[in-house]
Amino acid sequence: MCGIIARIGEGDAITKLVTGLENLEYRGYDSAGVAVQNGSGISVYKRSGQISELKDAIVGSVPKGNVGIGHTRWSTHGPPTDENAHPHTSETENVAVVHNGIIENYTELKERLESDGHEFTSDTDTEVIPHLFEYYLQDASSIEDAFRKTIDDLEGSYAVAALVDGVHAIYAARQGSPLILGLDNDEYYLASDVPAFLDHTDRVVYFEDGDIAVLEPNGVTMTDLEGNMVTRDVERIDWDPEDAGKGGYEHYMLKEINTQPNALTNTIEGRVEDSEVILEDFPEGTFEDVDDVQFVACGTSYHAALYGQQLLNQTGIRAQAFRASEYVDSATGSITENTLVIAVTQSGETADTLGALRGAKERGARTVTVTNVMGSTAAREADDALFIRAGPEIGVAATKTFSSQAVMLSLLSLRLAEDIETVNAPDDQAELLRELQKLPEHVQTVLDSTTAKRIASRYTGSEAFFFIGRGLNNAVAKEGALKFKEITYEHAEGFASGELKHGPLALVTPDTPVFALFNGDKDKKTLQNAEEAQARGAPIVSVAHADHPAEKISDAFLEIPDTHPMWSGLLANVQLQLVSYYAAKNLGRPIDKPRNLAKSVTVE
Ligand code: AGP
């Protein structure tokens, strides 16, 4: 959460900083700000609210200068006010800083600085950084030395970029929060994520924890905390700049839902051959020692992990999905040397998931991450990484990445089942892989023929929304409810169908539509559970293939193409994504940027 950008090079920085912030706005949208070095001081502009407010503030007095920093905020310390917006400045305003992360010892540092006469103007933890930097600048041997001393005093997580008045450079450091250097011919960028500068360059360097950099017009120097030079590889990003735009859609979320066929094709490509799963980094036998699998993930990724858990259990492999935030305290004790821990994370930067991953590593587990972001912390810290290749996802509500994660986990599950002697790969593997290859086409059929918009309009304004499903569809029901509440702000819950009668049925009324998901296998019980809700007056919206018995009893029907039961939940999920989208649209919600949320949650 929070996005930072910095830029140094020829020509004015401001337009590139603001565009970069717009591409990072998914990381936080409580306030935004920029600081530009202009030869006669540092100009700082910051506003609470979205980036449009900041843009309004600089119209008419656009700051000049070719080096600058910018920030979009998701509040952790202090409300979203102008004062708490970044950049923060020092006592004499000769230092300006943007920061993503949390300074855990800020109270102690603040007291120290206050006793030295420093006055603070915000409630943030960040403000201690420019004050400290200014303090050390008084008698350090160099600016870099003062910056290093400043960074050395910080505890917690940070990606920091700083300007010093009159100095044509940017000072940057990373510890626990993402920071990426972008290299163009005559300019350099720093950002929390690649889309910030993808219009300008696809050549990047990922900072490691403890890296400190100084960006100057003619080069970048990277060192560690002790001042030793470090060399990092330059990598090329294979995302198209177009991937980071809305591509003509009204919202990123709608674009991301509609581009799922392409995302899924990329996830599957090269990983299936006839009736075999080929995972480049995992040759035959790689998993033969695995006794059990533990998934760690949050939010939507946790629902994908539940999908994975169900698949592995069906194959006879012991597996459990854990909410990453609960994992270290409750589950690491069960790790053995033959436990495989799979961290599922779109961003690869979710603090809870990284905490769980690190906890698993400390206990000696073998780790794999399933992620969308190359160079992310999870990709670098796990023993192995499997990339879902879904392309950048900007809408805060995850859509295409859920589908791609579920497919990636399915492929991984099949690969595990091939290696572990005590279990058998499914009898119908050839058939299910054939159907997997048709999945992008089936998703396209859903997108082309959906009646989700009409159904969303029919039920918008209901008191609450329930989603039920059994087996793999339990995960999809939970994901459907999360998506619905996240972007509509309406009450929604997802249940295992059979659980409805054990309590939640008390909530069911004629004003609570129940979305029932059928996957073409063992559907009888779910049908019965749907009828139990209907008997209490609830409208039933079934999601199933054509001519399914559910159609007859339903008040509304969302059709999905007939496919293998392993994949039908993913088609149902696309219908539910669309229902959520249109319901949120009817309610006038800010779909891509739901209140209080951020795309990447980098605090625990
Ligand atoms: C999904 O719609 C949410 N925005 C959220 O639950 C998200 O899935 C969660 O924060 C995990 O993020 P990650 O996949 O990047 O780790």
Side-chain angles (χ1 to χ4, degrees), residues 108-128:
E108 182 192 315
L109 292 171
K110 196 169 173 176
E111 280 167 11
R112 201 176 97 194
L113 288 156
E114 277 173 340
S115 67
D116 200 54
H118 287 251
E119 279 179 28
F120 288 79
T121 55
S122 78
D123 311 311
T124 66
D125 53 335
T126 301
E127 201 186 348
V128 296

Side-chain angles (χ1 to χ4, degrees), residues 467 476-477 479-481 483-484 515 517 543 558 571-581:
F467 298 78
V476 177
E479 171 57 13
K483 212 75 342 176
F484 202 88
F515 289 77
L517 316 179
V543 191
L558 285 162
L571 299 175
N573 185 54
V574 176
Q575 291 284 23
L576 298 185
Q577 291 170 346
L578 289 162
V579 171
S580 295
Y581 174 82

Side-chain angles (χ1 to χ4, degrees), residues 298-301 345-348 350 353 396-398 405 482-483 486 601:
C298 303
T300 289
S301 296
T345 165
Q346 185 284 129
S347 60
T350 301
T353 308
V396 165
Q405 284 170 337
L482 176 65
K483 212 75 342 176
E486 191 175 19
V601 185

Side-chain angles (χ1 to χ4, degrees), residues 6 50 98 163 173 287 353 384 456 585:
Q50 302 194 357
V98 289
L163 300 179
F287 297 118
T353 308
D384 289 291
K585 198 161 173 268

Side-chain angles (χ1 to χ4, degrees), residues 272 275-276 411 414 429-437:
V272 176
S275 58
E276 271 196 54
L411 294 173
L414 294 169
Q429 179 153 321
E431 164 64 8
L432 73 84
L433 287 177
R434 258 196 309 280
E435 281 300 307
L436 173 64
Q437 283 166 307

Side-chain angles (χ1 to χ4, degrees), residues 309-582:
Q309 166 195 299
Q310 181 74 22
L311 289 168
L312 284 172
N313 288 336
Q314 279 175 10
T315 346
I317 299 170
R318 274 191 292 137
Q320 195 172 350
F322 292 92
R323 295 199 183 269
S325 55
E326 296 285 310
Y327 181 72
V328 175
D329 295 334
S330 66
T332 42
S334 62
I335 289 174
T336 72
E337 57 180 4
N338 295 333
T339 302
L340 176 68
V341 173
I342 303 176
V344 188
T345 165
Q346 185 284 129
S347 60
E349 301 295 348
T350 301
D352 288 323
T353 308
L354 293 176
L357 178 66
R358 289 169 187 150
K361 285 191 82 167
E362 273 164 28
R363 290 273 183 162
R366 175 171 174 194
T367 57
V368 173
T369 186
V370 169
T371 184
N372 195 30
V373 182
M374 283 174 71
S376 61
T377 307
R380 284 181 292 113
E381 291 194 9
D383 297 328
D384 289 291
L386 273 171
F387 295 101
I388 60 172
R389 309 177 191 151
E393 188 177 68
I394 309 292
V396 165
T399 50
K400 64 177 179 175
T401 55
F402 173 82
S403 301
S404 289
Q405 284 170 337
V407 164
M408 192 68 251
L409 291 175
S410 309
L411 294 173
L412 185 55
S413 305
L414 294 169
R415 190 69 200 71
L416 275 151
E418 281 167 13
D419 271 6
I420 300 173
E421 267 181 22
T422 49
V423 298
N424 293 317
D427 300 341
D428 58 350
Q429 179 153 321
E431 164 64 8
L432 73 84
L433 287 177
R434 258 196 309 280
E435 281 300 307
L436 173 64
Q437 283 166 307
K438 288 190 212 153
L439 191 62
E441 198 180 300
H442 288 330
V443 170
Q444 191 60 54
T445 305
V446 171
L447 295 168
D448 293 341
S449 61
T450 183
T451 53
K453 190 174 182 177
R454 191 159 23 105
I455 288 176
S457 298
R458 187 160 156 193
Y459 295 111
T460 302
S462 299
E463 190 192 338
F465 299 79
F466 300 122
F467 298 78
I468 59 169
R470 194 170 285 265
L472 290 168
N473 274 346
N474 174 26
V476 177
K478 288 185 163 56
E479 171 57 13
L482 176 65
K483 212 75 342 176
F484 202 88
K485 68 180 92 165
E486 191 175 19
I487 60 167
T488 67
Y489 312 162
E490 298 294 314
H491 179 221
E493 295 298 333
F495 304 106
S497 329
E499 277 298 299
L500 204 59
K501 58 185 177 294
H502 296 292
L505 203 53
L507 300 173
V508 163
T509 72
D511 203 19
T512 60
V514 174
F515 289 77
L517 316 179
F518 299 93
N519 68 358
D521 185 33
K522 303 191 187 100
D523 281 344
K524 268 196 183 151
K525 288 182 184 169
T526 302
L527 194 58
Q528 190 183 314
N529 303 140
E531 286 179 299
E532 286 155 7
Q534 196 175 43
R536 274 84 187 167
I540 302 299
V541 183
S542 292
V543 191
H545 62 74
D547 303 324
H548 191 282
E551 192 169 0
K552 288 207 180 68
I553 64 117
S554 302
D555 299 273
F557 190 70
L558 285 162
E559 186 181 322
I560 53 172
D562 201 2
T563 184
H564 193 283
M566 186 149 159
W567 313 121
S568 63
L570 302 184
L571 299 175
N573 185 54
V574 176
Q575 291 284 23
L576 298 185
Q577 291 170 346
L578 289 162
V579 171
S580 295
Y581 174 82
Y582 288 114

